[in-house]
Amino acid sequence: MRRSSPRITGKNRRNRPYITEMRPQDILMPVAAGLCCKPGGFHIDPVRPVERAVITHGHSDHARPGHGAVLATQETLDMMRLRYGDNFAGSTQAIAYGEQIKLGDVTIKFHPAGHVLGSAQIAVSCKDTCIVASGDYKDAPDPTCAPFEVVPCDVFITEATFGLPVFRHGDAADEIKKLLASVTLFPERAHLVGAYSLGKAQRVIALLRAAGYDAPIYLHGAMEKLTRYYESRGVALGDLRLVKGMKKADLAGTITLAPPSATSDIWTRRFPDPVTAFASGWMRVRARARQRGVELPLVISDHADWDGLTATIDATGAGEVWVTHGQEDALVHWCTAKGLAARPLDLVGYGDEDEGDAVPLGEDTEA
Ligand SMILES: [Zn+2]
């Protein structure tokens, strides 16, 4: 599996050697619109409108509206429909994990990425070369989505959101214990947890339930649609209620999930003396928590940490690694030191939603 250059495995009729594998960069190439697969005639997670898009997951920096045809898991397609409306693409096609589809001269197969519900790694095979574009992924357990699957490949394309050795996320269950301890300690205060609307919010709720918390959990209106969607796909989240219409005094001792930006605006005035928490991998960085005025930082990330990234690269057996969106340099250096071919991809336009600071349009306004 560890190879990065084409193998010459025979001779053609004119007695010249021919190449049975394509070079990886002939299969997938970074262009302005995203990762382009020329022999397959599609782009992966394009940031500009394209004719045919293959999409890894529903976060707005990866799943954008306006493409001709979109191929993705049913969940990703549904999330795009919920966010962008019925006409988000010219046509759509759902693909299941483990399912294989031929597109042009390549074969693609989807595998779970463990990032959010419906998230997928996309294995692109052409002749004997297999490239896995993993999108965003994590190898940590998450009760709200299928677990990450290691896919053996020749070239592994990895994200690097937390690609520095200082990033070690720890156990999310321990962070939930911190939150519950605070709720017990301050029964007269409301707890307001900032969490991204797609994935993180539902994971935090599921983790609270797994820790035995069975009281109602309150939601900012902007989280309702996606959270109800998770429930409709069989993710049990217990008693959920909207904050809207609640009396201030009745929110004492309760937990509310809200988009991160809502936790620092006028909306918080409806809560009695709120404790502001924020669930993000970035909460490992104290300055970030301080900057946001977060009283209770919770290190809960939907991205692999340094150990997760390096263990995954190892496990794929890939001889070549392409590193994108995040802290590329350290990871490229780590790969090179291990004797792997590695390079940053310099793709632009990713990292804007889940662990980034922006909130997609329409999800930051109260409903
Ligand atoms: Zn994501």
Side-chain angles (χ1 to χ4, degrees), residues 56-62 115-116 119 135-137 159 198 302-303 325 353-355:
T56 59
H57 68 287
H59 280 141
S60 60
D61 49 333
H62 292 259
H115 177 56
V116 296
S119 66
D136 289 342
Y137 69 93
E159 62 143 315
L198 200 181
D302 285 335
H303 296 263
H325 48 286
E353 184 175 355
D354 55 316
E355 301 278 5

mmCIF file of all heavy atoms in Angstrom, residues 56-62 115-116 119 135-137 159 198 302-303 325 353-355, ligand 1:
data_model
loop_
_atom_site.group_PDB
_atom_site.id
_atom_site.type_symbol
_atom_site.label_atom_id
_atom_site.label_comp_id
_atom_site.label_asym_id
_atom_site.label_seq_id
_atom_site.Cartn_x
_atom_site.Cartn_y
_atom_site.Cartn_z
ATOM 1 N N THR A 56 -19.148 15.644 1.161
ATOM 2 C CA THR A 56 -18.804 14.788 2.306
ATOM 3 C C THR A 56 -19.786 14.916 3.464
ATOM 4 O O THR A 56 -20.092 13.927 4.116
ATOM 5 C CB THR A 56 -17.390 15.103 2.843
ATOM 6 O OG1 THR A 56 -17.326 16.492 3.246
ATOM 7 C CG2 THR A 56 -16.316 14.821 1.789
ATOM 8 N N HIS A 57 -20.233 16.157 3.760
ATOM 9 C CA HIS A 57 -21.150 16.323 4.896
ATOM 10 C C HIS A 57 -21.835 17.680 4.852
ATOM 11 O O HIS A 57 -21.486 18.538 4.047
ATOM 12 C CB HIS A 57 -20.409 16.120 6.219
ATOM 13 C CG HIS A 57 -19.398 17.173 6.561
ATOM 14 N ND1 HIS A 57 -18.184 17.275 5.920
ATOM 15 C CD2 HIS A 57 -19.419 18.182 7.472
ATOM 16 C CE1 HIS A 57 -17.500 18.291 6.433
ATOM 17 N NE2 HIS A 57 -18.219 18.865 7.375
ATOM 18 N N GLY A 58 -22.797 17.866 5.733
ATOM 19 C CA GLY A 58 -23.722 18.997 5.629
ATOM 20 C C GLY A 58 -23.235 20.347 6.115
ATOM 21 O O GLY A 58 -23.959 21.334 5.953
ATOM 22 N N HIS A 59 -22.060 20.457 6.739
ATOM 23 C CA HIS A 59 -21.598 21.771 7.193
ATOM 24 C C HIS A 59 -21.481 22.736 6.016
ATOM 25 O O HIS A 59 -21.055 22.342 4.928
ATOM 26 C CB HIS A 59 -20.255 21.659 7.929
ATOM 27 C CG HIS A 59 -20.414 21.214 9.349
ATOM 28 N ND1 HIS A 59 -19.545 20.348 9.955
ATOM 29 C CD2 HIS A 59 -21.352 21.528 10.274
ATOM 30 C CE1 HIS A 59 -19.947 20.139 11.202
ATOM 31 N NE2 HIS A 59 -21.038 20.843 11.417
ATOM 32 N N SER A 60 -21.812 23.991 6.288
ATOM 33 C CA SER A 60 -21.999 24.938 5.183
ATOM 34 C C SER A 60 -20.717 25.253 4.413
ATOM 35 O O SER A 60 -20.783 25.710 3.276
ATOM 36 C CB SER A 60 -22.605 26.236 5.708
ATOM 37 O OG SER A 60 -21.744 26.803 6.665
ATOM 38 N N ASP A 61 -19.556 24.995 5.018
ATOM 39 C CA ASP A 61 -18.325 25.251 4.252
ATOM 40 C C ASP A 61 -18.045 24.119 3.266
ATOM 41 O O ASP A 61 -17.269 24.287 2.322
ATOM 42 C CB ASP A 61 -17.113 25.477 5.184
ATOM 43 C CG ASP A 61 -16.957 24.422 6.253
ATOM 44 O OD1 ASP A 61 -17.974 23.805 6.648
ATOM 45 O OD2 ASP A 61 -15.823 24.203 6.718
ATOM 46 N N HIS A 62 -18.678 22.974 3.435
ATOM 47 C CA HIS A 62 -18.494 21.836 2.526
ATOM 48 C C HIS A 62 -19.703 21.653 1.602
ATOM 49 O O HIS A 62 -19.545 21.222 0.462
ATOM 50 C CB HIS A 62 -18.253 20.553 3.323
ATOM 51 C CG HIS A 62 -16.943 20.559 4.050
ATOM 52 N ND1 HIS A 62 -15.836 19.893 3.602
ATOM 53 C CD2 HIS A 62 -16.558 21.200 5.186
ATOM 54 C CE1 HIS A 62 -14.819 20.098 4.432
ATOM 55 N NE2 HIS A 62 -15.236 20.892 5.400
ATOM 56 N N HIS A 115 -17.953 12.366 11.882
ATOM 57 C CA HIS A 115 -17.889 13.815 12.156
ATOM 58 C C HIS A 115 -19.247 14.355 12.612
ATOM 59 O O HIS A 115 -19.375 14.891 13.709
ATOM 60 C CB HIS A 115 -17.394 14.497 10.887
ATOM 61 C CG HIS A 115 -17.331 15.980 10.924
ATOM 62 N ND1 HIS A 115 -16.610 16.673 11.880
ATOM 63 C CD2 HIS A 115 -17.895 16.935 10.115
ATOM 64 C CE1 HIS A 115 -16.740 17.985 11.650
ATOM 65 N NE2 HIS A 115 -17.506 18.156 10.596
ATOM 66 N N VAL A 116 -20.259 14.198 11.770
ATOM 67 C CA VAL A 116 -21.651 14.525 12.120
ATOM 68 C C VAL A 116 -22.539 13.488 11.426
ATOM 69 O O VAL A 116 -22.052 12.701 10.609
ATOM 70 C CB VAL A 116 -22.063 15.956 11.643
ATOM 71 C CG1 VAL A 116 -21.236 17.028 12.344
ATOM 72 C CG2 VAL A 116 -21.941 16.089 10.119
ATOM 73 N N SER A 119 -22.030 12.123 7.725
ATOM 74 C CA SER A 119 -20.730 12.547 7.190
ATOM 75 C C SER A 119 -19.982 11.357 6.603
ATOM 76 O O SER A 119 -20.052 10.244 7.109
ATOM 77 C CB SER A 119 -19.884 13.225 8.266
ATOM 78 O OG SER A 119 -19.531 12.313 9.278
ATOM 79 N N GLY A 135 -12.740 14.535 4.134
ATOM 80 C CA GLY A 135 -13.571 15.660 4.573
ATOM 81 C C GLY A 135 -13.174 16.062 5.982
ATOM 82 O O GLY A 135 -11.992 16.145 6.299
ATOM 83 N N ASP A 136 -14.139 16.321 6.853
ATOM 84 C CA ASP A 136 -13.866 16.500 8.282
ATOM 85 C C ASP A 136 -14.123 15.156 8.949
ATOM 86 O O ASP A 136 -15.053 14.444 8.567
ATOM 87 C CB ASP A 136 -14.818 17.543 8.881
ATOM 88 C CG ASP A 136 -14.503 18.962 8.414
ATOM 89 O OD1 ASP A 136 -13.381 19.195 7.926
ATOM 90 O OD2 ASP A 136 -15.389 19.831 8.540
ATOM 91 N N TYR A 137 -13.318 14.808 9.931
ATOM 92 C CA TYR A 137 -13.539 13.511 10.588
ATOM 93 C C TYR A 137 -13.071 13.531 12.027
ATOM 94 O O TYR A 137 -12.290 14.384 12.430
ATOM 95 C CB TYR A 137 -12.846 12.381 9.821
ATOM 96 C CG TYR A 137 -11.323 12.402 9.859
ATOM 97 C CD1 TYR A 137 -10.610 11.691 10.831
ATOM 98 C CD2 TYR A 137 -10.594 13.130 8.919
ATOM 99 C CE1 TYR A 137 -9.220 11.699 10.857
ATOM 100 C CE2 TYR A 137 -9.203 13.141 8.936
ATOM 101 C CZ TYR A 137 -8.517 12.425 9.909
ATOM 102 O OH TYR A 137 -7.143 12.439 9.932
ATOM 103 N N GLU A 159 -7.878 16.421 6.907
ATOM 104 C CA GLU A 159 -8.035 17.768 7.429
ATOM 105 C C GLU A 159 -6.979 17.990 8.507
ATOM 106 O O GLU A 159 -6.300 17.045 8.925
ATOM 107 C CB GLU A 159 -9.433 17.939 8.031
ATOM 108 C CG GLU A 159 -9.704 16.997 9.207
ATOM 109 C CD GLU A 159 -10.546 17.651 10.302
ATOM 110 O OE1 GLU A 159 -10.250 18.809 10.652
ATOM 111 O OE2 GLU A 159 -11.473 16.989 10.802
ATOM 112 N N LEU A 198 -25.324 22.216 13.743
ATOM 113 C CA LEU A 198 -25.305 20.930 13.047
ATOM 114 C C LEU A 198 -24.233 20.041 13.661
ATOM 115 O O LEU A 198 -23.041 20.263 13.446
ATOM 116 C CB LEU A 198 -25.021 21.136 11.548
ATOM 117 C CG LEU A 198 -25.405 20.019 10.579
ATOM 118 C CD1 LEU A 198 -25.025 20.375 9.169
ATOM 119 C CD2 LEU A 198 -24.900 18.663 10.957
ATOM 120 N N ASP A 302 -15.684 17.943 17.191
ATOM 121 C CA ASP A 302 -16.087 16.952 16.190
ATOM 122 C C ASP A 302 -14.984 16.711 15.162
ATOM 123 O O ASP A 302 -15.220 16.144 14.097
ATOM 124 C CB ASP A 302 -17.390 17.387 15.507
ATOM 125 C CG ASP A 302 -18.584 17.167 16.433
ATOM 126 O OD1 ASP A 302 -18.487 16.291 17.317
ATOM 127 O OD2 ASP A 302 -19.599 17.861 16.284
ATOM 128 N N HIS A 303 -13.779 17.180 15.494
ATOM 129 C CA HIS A 303 -12.613 16.934 14.633
ATOM 130 C C HIS A 303 -11.599 16.089 15.404
ATOM 131 O O HIS A 303 -11.508 16.182 16.634
ATOM 132 C CB HIS A 303 -11.938 18.249 14.249
ATOM 133 C CG HIS A 303 -12.804 19.137 13.410
ATOM 134 N ND1 HIS A 303 -12.713 19.177 12.037
ATOM 135 C CD2 HIS A 303 -13.787 19.990 13.740
ATOM 136 C CE1 HIS A 303 -13.604 20.046 11.561
ATOM 137 N NE2 HIS A 303 -14.262 20.552 12.581
ATOM 138 N N HIS A 325 -7.206 22.249 5.003
ATOM 139 C CA HIS A 325 -7.882 23.135 5.951
ATOM 140 C C HIS A 325 -7.504 22.993 7.426
ATOM 141 O O HIS A 325 -8.071 22.256 8.175
ATOM 142 C CB HIS A 325 -9.402 23.187 5.745
ATOM 143 C CG HIS A 325 -10.139 21.885 5.589
ATOM 144 N ND1 HIS A 325 -10.099 21.122 4.466
ATOM 145 C CD2 HIS A 325 -10.966 21.251 6.426
ATOM 146 C CE1 HIS A 325 -10.872 20.088 4.617
ATOM 147 N NE2 HIS A 325 -11.408 20.126 5.786
ATOM 148 N N GLU A 353 -17.488 26.871 9.172
ATOM 149 C CA GLU A 353 -18.652 26.612 10.006
ATOM 150 C C GLU A 353 -18.345 26.000 11.344
ATOM 151 O O GLU A 353 -18.130 26.697 12.314
ATOM 152 C CB GLU A 353 -19.703 25.749 9.307
ATOM 153 C CG GLU A 353 -20.931 25.633 10.233
ATOM 154 C CD GLU A 353 -22.130 24.910 9.660
ATOM 155 O OE1 GLU A 353 -22.110 24.539 8.496
ATOM 156 O OE2 GLU A 353 -23.083 24.727 10.425
ATOM 157 N N ASP A 354 -18.248 24.688 11.401
ATOM 158 C CA ASP A 354 -18.397 24.050 12.703
ATOM 159 C C ASP A 354 -17.424 24.514 13.771
ATOM 160 O O ASP A 354 -17.819 24.987 14.820
ATOM 161 C CB ASP A 354 -18.409 22.532 12.569
ATOM 162 C CG ASP A 354 -17.193 22.009 11.859
ATOM 163 O OD1 ASP A 354 -16.805 22.590 10.841
ATOM 164 O OD2 ASP A 354 -16.633 21.013 12.316
ATOM 165 N N GLU A 355 -16.110 24.421 13.524
ATOM 166 C CA GLU A 355 -15.192 24.874 14.555
ATOM 167 C C GLU A 355 -14.646 26.262 14.231
ATOM 168 O O GLU A 355 -13.802 26.796 14.914
ATOM 169 C CB GLU A 355 -14.031 23.894 14.757
ATOM 170 C CG GLU A 355 -14.460 22.488 15.146
ATOM 171 C CD GLU A 355 -14.765 22.308 16.628
ATOM 172 O OE1 GLU A 355 -14.734 23.294 17.387
ATOM 173 O OE2 GLU A 355 -15.057 21.171 17.015
HETATM 174 ZN ZN ZN B 1 -17.533 19.857 9.255
#
